[in-house]
Amino acid sequence: MSAPRVNSFFLGNSSGVNFSIILSPRDAETGKLQPANCSGSKRAGDWNLDVTPGVSTSKVSVSLTRTLELCLPNATECCPSPLRVVETLQVLACRGSVVLAQLLIQAEIFANSSFTGNVSENATIIPNQAFKPLGSCPCDLTAGACDVRCCCDLECTADLQQLFSGSCFTGVFGGDVNPPYDQLCTSQSMEYTPEWFPFLCVQSSLDNTPFLGYFYHGSTSTPKVPSFKIPLQTSPGKPFTGYREGDPIITEEDEYFTVPQQSLAGQCTGNAPVAYLHSFDVKCLTNLESYKEGLPHDVRINSGTADFIQQNVVYRAITDRGKFITESENLLAAEVLCQNVTFAEHYKFIWKDKNIEQVNVTVFLGSLCDGEILTQRFTVEFLSLNSTNGEELFEHPGYQVGKPVRAANLNASDPLGSLNIWQPAGRGLCASATYRPVLFGVDSYSGCILEVDINEDCSFLRGNVTEKLNALIQATHIGKRDNSSYSDLNDWVEIIRLDPFSSNVSTGGLKGICPDIPANLNIRIIFSKVGAVQGIPLQQILAVQISYSTVLWQFQCGLGCKNTLSLLPITASVQFIEVPAQPPPPVTRYQKLYEEFDCNRNEVCWPQLLYPLTRFYTGEPYSQSLAKGLFLAFLVLLAAITSNPWFSKLWNR
Amino acid sequence: DNRSQLSSLPLQILLYVNGVYYIFYFLATLAMIIYKSQVFSYPDDLLAPDLTVLFLMAILEVPRSYLGFKGNLTEAEAPLGLSLGLTVGSVVLCVYLLLWQTYVLWADVLLNAVLLAAYGLESGLKVTAIAAFVS
């Protein structure tokens, strides 16, 4: 009912039928409806009954006769104050004194207390928030009308306030803008009062509280916009003297030569420059929507002697599409959008001393369709001019960061072993995940998702997970150095395996929960620098430990619990721990005793006390500390002067 | 010389004790103002009036005390009267620090109340001494 009028229908023949309306037919004491009395009329109180007879149905409407508009200054027929109408009506259809039908209407009409007047143009003066909080009643949002649930609003009349007095807003929004704070003497709220509290509690009134505004009138300065320009090695006029190791390779237009690489965050970035003599091999995931072409292959590269060389590009087509494409779930029909994209690029830079002699590029093209995930592969190799068959001139015996860790199966006939971690693709399921070797010095954490049925047996699940994790470690020994040979047993360290504790704890028949699943594999590799070969430090692996961490797997219900499969993530983490080759020299007694002078290990140390003579302490601005120190020095000087007997003679004169 | 001594001994004692107490009061109030400025937030530059009043009181105390000593010992009513006038000023500043400071700690109340009591007693004794000197 949206207006003070309601319509209904009386079905049946309405000849000889008397319609009447009764107001509040309830018994005041028991609250029950009084038995229907056919002696009513078509008007009751403020309500009026209209009947429009028809052939087989009659329209019955009940309407409120008085107006509900609020009194304006010159009106007469109006409501003097906002009304609230709550009444019960009963409409009866009688033939004679027999009741044919009755209709019960419960009418609740509340006054619309929203603001309908003019908006005043006077601006309210905002008090200085340092002395008075802005708005003593923050919930008083409308001027000239009562805000519901706002007990501090002065525009609410008493009976309106009675309606919502039980559920007022609390806290600062409800008007308590000056709550007593902890340091007040009268506040009892603090659980812990320091011992000095009786003396140093605040006695003054709540007019000055720490909650009042305290604004910083500092000066503003416009920041200088940094100019993100590529810093060039050459200034204009100076000839380009060649590349050193790590320098970015520059193209003809003085821009970086970019090949997509993996950033520190793990994603692939397209605009990553290539560093001289740093080879890499990256795999980047992309799909048709986010595919972007790299640098065009006709860009010429600065060779180092201000001479530009052209890239020798060879285009080939992909033969084995499966190695690059992971099918996505939604396999559409024949009409899919496909595009010719780059699947892999292999760059070979032939270098000599500080210059690049030749650039050979092999580009593999293929077609990528909508809905597929493509693993692009980019490799950059720097080959010396002397040995163009791909081998390095000098093989460093120790491990270098990024080289795969040598693993061997010394107890088996075929000594070749491998130590891998997960390389997931597609949805990340273990069924479709591949392996990639553990790289030295690269702490990694990867995993895949196993789908577990709700009815799966727990010991079967444990066995399955253990088997999948054990498949990562196809070795019994790890090589100490990169050039460990299979014939020498001293070149290898045995892997220390801490097998998962096979618990026979049963869940007591509970399905969907399995404790102690060894789902996390931890590989800890301890290495150290044991010397140097040709200036490059020799890094050697000392020990390898493999352990398992257990998790509690619980079936996760999806929406409405309709799924029967839940996900269990299985992870493998590799951690490289460096230990010093020799134990550190023992701490002398002098060092132990005088540890308090060490500013690095203590919060307060002796040099900090001599601030501002020594600038160790950085807790306060130097100028503030200097001012305080000078003031103290002045006081000391004053005391010294006044205690001098010469001064007292001067004073008494 | 049989002239009886007109200098008031209690006033002298009180002046001396007041001088010593004032030094302690000044240092304690200064320390508390520094503590308050670090722990609580002061609205725009309300710290300056509090510190000004304290230092003004310290500056007033020196001539007040000196004139009191001199007046009592030399039995002259002019310095003692001037000291009384300065005492009134000190009382006003003390009342400010007791009531109208930005944050009044309970220790503030204690110290200021004791100082007010001392000033009151001193004023009474000075009036008595002036009356003795004049007559």
Side-chain angles (χ1 to χ4, degrees), chain A residues 199 201-204 208 214 217, chain B residues 42 44 102-107:
Chain A
F199 281 118
C201 61
V202 177
Q203 187 72 18
S204 54
N208 283 326
Y214 185 46
H217 294 292
Chain B
Y42 271 73
D44 254 349
T102 314
Y103 293 104
V104 181
L105 303 183
W106 202 86

Side-chain angles (χ1 to χ4, degrees), chain A residues 203-233:
Chain A
Q203 187 72 18
S204 54
S205 69
L206 273 179
D207 279 338
N208 283 326
T209 69
F211 289 116
L212 290 177
Y214 185 46
F215 300 105
Y216 172 62
H217 294 292
S219 54
T220 55
S221 67
T222 49
K224 275 204 308 208
V225 177
S227 61
F228 291 110
K229 290 202 322 209
I230 298 175
L232 294 176
Q233 294 133 313

Side-chain angles (χ1 to χ4, degrees), chain A residues 544-558:
Chain A
V544 179
Q545 185 206 50
I546 291 181
S547 64
Y548 296 81
S549 308
T550 54
V551 296
L552 173 84
W553 173 77
Q554 209 173 10
F555 184 79
Q556 298 285 342
C557 256

Side-chain angles (χ1 to χ4, degrees), chain A residues 407-456:
Chain A
N409 231 333
L410 292 182
N411 295 335
S413 53
D414 178 18
L416 191 67
S418 62
L419 190 65
N420 299 314
I421 49 174
W422 298 105
Q423 168 94 27
R427 272 183 65 203
L429 294 175
C430 289
S432 61
T434 53
Y435 301 142
R436 69 173 175 86
V438 171
L439 302 177
F440 183 81
V442 177
D443 286 349
S444 341
Y445 179 76
S446 70
C448 63
I449 302 176
L450 192 66
E451 288 180 315
V452 185
D453 195 69
I454 185 173
N455 293 322
E456 192 130 337

